[in-house]
Amino acid sequence: RTPRDLEDFVLGHDTKFVGVGNTRSMLAVWREWSLDVYLRKAWESGIVLGGASAGSICWFDGGVTDSVAGPLTAMQCLGFLPGSNCPHYDSEILRRPSYRRMIAQGALTDGIAADDGVALHFEGTKLKRIVSSLPRASAWRLQRAGRRAIETRLPARYLGTRR
């Protein structure tokens, strides 16, 4: 697609799902082609946006990314959803301590982390429900308190069958 018909393409579908990838590169290309503007129009008109990993943090003010070589870093994102986001909270060993440190130091604003398999369902900018495809997975609210981060477990509703 070319930038000329990209807006019609974006606004002509009911949902958009963004998969994994390099968040930094993805957002740079989106901004170059004005896709960020079209996605905001889509979101404001009620089109469902979703994603995993890079496709999760991209919608927030900021998030934890491995898009830059070296340690995990804080990154400013699209800002459709307030606060910050961290995916892979339970599966990548450095995610939890890095996110906690970034919140505590003010590199990222208060936010929500998600274990693998967890979906955060927002209506507008309000978190309405948390669901999971894995029985023990959760989401976590992180809030800055002085020079530390307070982590609160937000249970997810397991969508599978318990045995």
Side-chain angles (χ1 to χ4, degrees):
R1 302 249 175 229
T2 65
R4 197 172 43 246
D5 61 1
L6 190 56
E7 181 175 13
D8 289 338
F9 178 80
V10 169
L11 297 175
H13 292 83
D14 295 331
T15 62
K16 302 285 171 277
F17 184 87
V18 179
V20 302
N22 184 305
T23 312
R24 182 178 183 205
S25 295
M26 176 181 76
L27 290 177
V29 169
W30 287 6
R31 288 177 174 130
E32 175 70 23
W33 285 44
S34 300
L35 184 57
D36 58 329
V37 173
Y38 308 144
L39 287 167
R40 179 171 286 280
K41 280 185 184 180
W43 176 65
E44 289 172 346
S45 70
I47 292 173
V48 175
L49 305 178
S53 193
S56 177
I57 73 169
C58 68
W59 312 117
F60 289 83
D61 289 331
V64 178
T65 186
D66 60 2
S67 296
V68 180
L72 294 168
T73 57
M75 179 178 183
Q76 296 305 305
C77 298
L78 294 174
F80 297 5
L81 298 174
S84 63
N85 179 244
C86 179
H88 312 299
Y89 205 56
D90 64 334
S91 66
E92 294 182 10
I93 196 163
L94 296 177
R95 291 281 176 159
R96 180 175 246 131
S98 296
Y99 191 42
R100 290 177 65 104
R101 182 180 36 43
M102 290 174 197
I103 296 285
Q105 294 174 347
L108 287 172
T109 56
D110 296 352
I112 306 270
D115 292 343
D116 284 353
V118 169
L120 307 172
H121 176 202
F122 285 82
E123 289 181 9
T125 59
K126 302 287 185 202
L127 180 61
K128 289 295 187 173
R129 64 189 56 84
I130 302 165
V131 296
S132 176
S133 63
L134 302 172
R136 292 177 188 83
S138 295
W140 307 84
R141 181 173 308 284
L142 277 86
Q143 297 173 294
R144 186 175 181 188
R147 295 195 306 199
R148 61 188 195 122
I150 305 296
E151 179 183 87
T152 306
R153 184 176 186 266
L154 304 171
R157 180 174 162 241
Y158 176 54
L159 298 177
T161 304
R162 295 194 188 270
R163 294 181 183 182

